[in-house]
Amino acid sequence: MGFDFYGISLFVKSIGPVRNLVIGDYALQFGQGLNMWNGLSFGKGGLIQNTARQGIGVRQYTSLNEVNFMRGITGTLQLQRFEITPYFSYQNIDANVSDNIESRVIKSTAKSGLHRTPTEQRYRNAAHQMTYGVNILWRYNRFKIGVNFNRSQLDAIKLKGTSKRQQYDFEGDMLQNISLYTNYTFRNAHLFGEYASSLDGGSAMLLGSIVSLHPQVSTVVLVRNYRKNYHTFYGQGFGESSNTSNEEGIYAGLTYQLARKLVWSSYIDIFRFPEAKYQADTGSVGADIFSQLSYIWYKKGQLTLRYRNRLKQTDYLGEGQTESGLVNSSKQQVRLEFQYKLNRIWTIRSRVEANLFQKEYEDNSLGYLFYQDFFWKPDVGKIQLNSRIAYFQADTYDNRIYAYENDVLYASGFGMYNMKGWRTYLNLRYRINHNLDIWAKYGVYYYPDKEVIGTGLDEISRNKKSEIKLQLRWQL
């Protein structure tokens, strides 16, 4: 059957007024991501200034992820102060498709990119999606304003789910979106925002500002309102949830340069979900509180202490009850991380992290993680290495911990540290010559108290779960 996934693209730069041209796989990033944003989108974190996104427009898509990209042709035409980017994409999508007397229908879509079982094979490339649109951006000094319009056509009618949280999902075979976005920098203030509408009736809005109050103090304020009936296939707006709908919130952050090497960053994000969502069958509220203190050695290393408390409301069904109600829960996390460049060859990174999960009417549970990373990058030679060894324990699934893991080129991910065990991996890069190199990764989870890992078709009849990645890159 060949390989599971193929990707190819041709990227050409600067052909007269054409700034770039991509044929094949590509990614688009415009505005604040409410309408069109392919690839990774980082949300809340220690760098509060990153809440304001800077869309790169068009780029090649070279990731190992098999979803959330475009396949077709696009390019950017520069006409004085205007940048015009038309795009066309046609690709297969994985979906649960059934045929009835009247038409083909999509009951659900799959975005894992995995095709391991008969069911996943049946979903593979079962539907098709055609998307076309245009982005027009106008620049004048420090002011930018843009408009993006796109239309997506499915070859089957997508049905919304039957659960409470899916009652406002998209249903149909055609979706049109339009958005207006802008940003402006005036002296010590940067203002940004986007308004988007799905032409079936819903809308989403985001407004924000980054202001430097003092050479040592800067603030961020962001408000958002994503309506429950706003639909988008490609949007990835800033927020607590990932679907850019059914969410309202206000985010306020501050960065204070206490000393030349000492930085304090904090934020609070208060949000509300007007309708049902995952783990909450009615409207709910929550808050995310974050504070981080960093001591930075210029070009040498960093010591970081972080505290975070995430407050949410979730469903709870007590003994003898027939209907669930909402209860309050919180997950408090403390992290200490140290990274330091020992010399020109060796760098180390260490982390200790613990969390406490509390939920009304349930016992408290704990989770913790220790890991040590090593990076070996000599000035000369053909080999580079990095490795991790970690020990973790999470009493429940709610105590799971995610941590970024280094990977082969173009790949990245956040490993999930759950239950009790060890995690180690080794990344290797071997440069054969100036044009050819090999990347490889071997990683393994070891659960000493387990005899079986996973359930059903994912079951592994041992206490180790391993992975191997190989990558060959040839460049001219």
Side-chain angles (χ1 to χ4, degrees):
M1 297 180 64
F3 288 105
D4 186 72
F5 175 75
Y6 297 86
I8 187 171
S9 62
L10 172 66
F11 180 61
V12 183
K13 295 180 64 176
S14 302
I15 308 175
V18 180
R19 285 182 48 192
N20 50 57
L21 175 68
V22 184
I23 302 174
D25 295 350
Y26 61 91
L28 300 174
Q29 294 182 357
F30 298 118
Q32 297 301 311
L34 302 190
N35 183 2
M36 177 62 69
W37 195 279
N38 301 136
L40 290 175
S41 60
F42 295 98
K44 293 175 282 188
L47 298 175
I48 65 173
Q49 293 83 354
N50 287 350
T51 54
R53 295 186 181 170
Q54 302 294 332
I56 61 174
V58 176
R59 65 176 176 86
Q60 281 179 290
Y61 187 82
T62 53
S63 174
L64 300 181
N65 189 4
E66 300 178 24
V67 295
N68 193 24
F69 68 97
M70 316 294 279
R71 173 165 288 176
I73 184 170
T74 187
T76 299
L77 182 66
Q78 183 81 52
L79 297 175
Q80 296 181 348
R81 298 186 184 277
F82 286 93
E83 295 177 12
I84 304 173
T85 306
Y87 50 91
F88 175 84
S89 171
Y90 184 84
Q91 59 183 354
N92 304 322
I93 59 175
D94 292 353
N96 180 7
V97 179
S98 63
D99 295 301
N100 57 33
I101 299 176
E102 298 179 354
S103 62
R104 298 176 71 232
V105 298
I106 299 174
K107 296 182 178 179
S108 62
T109 57
K111 297 183 178 181
S112 67
L114 299 176
H115 309 110
R116 306 159 297 178
T117 66
T119 299
E120 290 175 348
Q121 283 290 333
R122 181 168 57 86
Y123 289 0
R124 183 184 184 186
N125 300 335
H128 303 86
Q129 182 175 17
M130 179 176 66
T131 301
Y132 54 89
V134 63
N135 186 84
I136 301 174
L137 177 66
W138 184 73
R139 299 174 183 264
Y140 182 76
N141 295 334
R142 297 182 178 182
F143 176 74
K144 293 193 298 185
I145 185 169
V147 60
N148 185 279
F149 170 80
N150 60 73
R151 176 176 179 174
S152 291
Q153 182 74 51
L154 302 172
D155 67 342
I157 298 175
K158 183 183 181 301
L159 302 179
K160 60 184 178 182
T162 57
S163 66
K164 290 183 179 180
R165 64 187 178 92
Q166 296 173 314
Q167 60 183 317
Y168 297 104
D169 285 0
F170 169 74
E171 185 170 85
D173 61 353
M174 190 267 290
L175 177 62
Q176 298 181 97
N177 291 87
I178 188 169
S179 67
L180 178 70
Y181 61 90
T182 184
N183 62 65
Y184 177 56
T185 302
F186 177 72
R187 295 184 179 178
N188 60 340
H190 177 72
L191 309 177
F192 56 95
E194 182 172 8
Y195 175 84
S197 173
S198 52
L199 298 186
D200 59 353
S203 64
M205 180 272 294
L206 180 150
L207 295 172
S209 67
I210 301 176
V211 181
S212 178
L213 302 177
H214 183 272
Q216 295 174 279
V217 180
S218 61
T219 62
V220 177
V221 176
L222 182 149
V223 295
R224 60 194 185 274
N225 186 349
Y226 308 151
R227 297 296 179 88
K228 60 189 178 185
N229 58 341
Y230 175 68
H231 304 132
T232 173
F233 288 139
Y234 301 103
Q236 297 185 65
F238 176 92
E240 182 67 19
S241 62
S242 59
N243 56 3
T244 318
S245 66
N246 185 36
E247 181 175 341
E248 303 168 0
I250 180 169
Y251 170 101
L254 178 145
T255 297
Y256 182 25
Q257 186 88 31
L258 297 169
R260 186 171 63 89
K261 297 182 179 181
L262 197 61
V263 180
W264 175 53
S265 299
S266 293
Y267 71 74
I268 180 169
D269 184 32
I270 301 173
F271 46 86
R272 172 177 175 263
F273 304 103
E275 299 293 338
K277 60 178 288 292
Y278 175 65
Q279 292 187 333
D281 286 341
T282 60
S284 59
V285 298
D288 186 0
I289 303 167
F290 175 96
S291 186
Q292 176 175 288
L293 188 65
S294 301
Y295 186 84
I296 303 170
W297 294 270
Y298 180 66
K299 292 185 178 181
K300 293 284 287 185
Q302 181 171 322
L303 177 64
T304 302
L305 177 63
R306 173 184 294 187
Y307 169 80
R308 188 176 189 181
N309 189 2
R310 307 182 77 173
L311 307 166
K312 291 185 178 182
Q313 293 180 313
T314 57
D315 288 330
Y316 179 79
L317 184 64
E319 185 177 354
Q321 292 180 324
T322 58
E323 293 186 5
S324 62
L326 294 180
V327 296
N328 298 318
S329 67
S330 73
K331 185 175 182 179
Q332 299 183 70
Q333 300 168 271
V334 178
R335 176 190 299 176
L336 180 65
E337 182 171 294
F338 174 69
Q339 180 170 325
Y340 194 75
K341 189 172 183 179
L342 299 174
N343 50 47
R344 292 186 302 176
I345 298 176
W346 285 98
T347 300
I348 59 171
R349 182 171 61 198
S350 310
R351 178 182 294 183
V352 179
E353 183 167 341
N355 66 58
L356 171 65
F357 182 78
Q358 298 171 294
K359 185 175 181 178
E360 288 184 275
Y361 310 116
E362 294 185 1
D363 294 334
N364 298 343
S365 55
L366 297 169
Y368 56 86
L369 164 71
F370 307 91
Y371 75 60
Q372 179 63 56
D373 289 351
F374 301 93
F375 300 85
W376 185 66
K377 188 177 182 181
D379 295 332
V380 295
K382 297 184 176 182
I383 297 178
Q384 297 177 9
L385 301 171
N386 68 76
S387 179
R388 168 175 296 177
I389 182 169
Y391 177 77
F392 56 92
Q393 180 171 336
D395 292 345
T396 67
Y397 183 72
D398 292 312
N399 295 112
R400 66 193 183 278
I401 299 174
Y402 292 95
Y404 175 81
E405 295 190 353
N406 294 90
D407 214 311
V408 301
L409 186 65
Y410 303 133
S412 63
F414 289 83
M416 185 177 73
Y417 297 80
N418 189 31
M419 299 185 290
K420 177 182 179 181
W422 295 83
R423 167 67 168 168
T424 185
Y425 65 78
L426 174 68
N427 284 303
L428 179 146
R429 179 190 180 188
Y430 180 73
R431 181 179 291 275
I432 299 174
N433 54 45
H434 291 296
N435 306 105
L436 192 64
D437 53 10
I438 295 176
W439 301 72
K441 178 178 181 177
Y442 174 76
V444 59
Y445 285 97
Y446 170 57
Y447 303 94
D449 297 338
K450 297 286 184 179
E451 296 182 357
V452 175
I453 304 172
T455 59
L457 295 174
D458 285 326
E459 184 176 297
I460 299 174
S461 299
R462 54 184 301 187
N463 58 4
K464 294 180 181 178
K465 179 180 180 180
S466 59
E467 62 176 333
I468 298 174
K469 293 183 181 180
L470 295 173
Q471 179 176 277
L472 178 68
R473 184 182 68 162
W474 176 57
Q475 55 183 353
L476 297 176

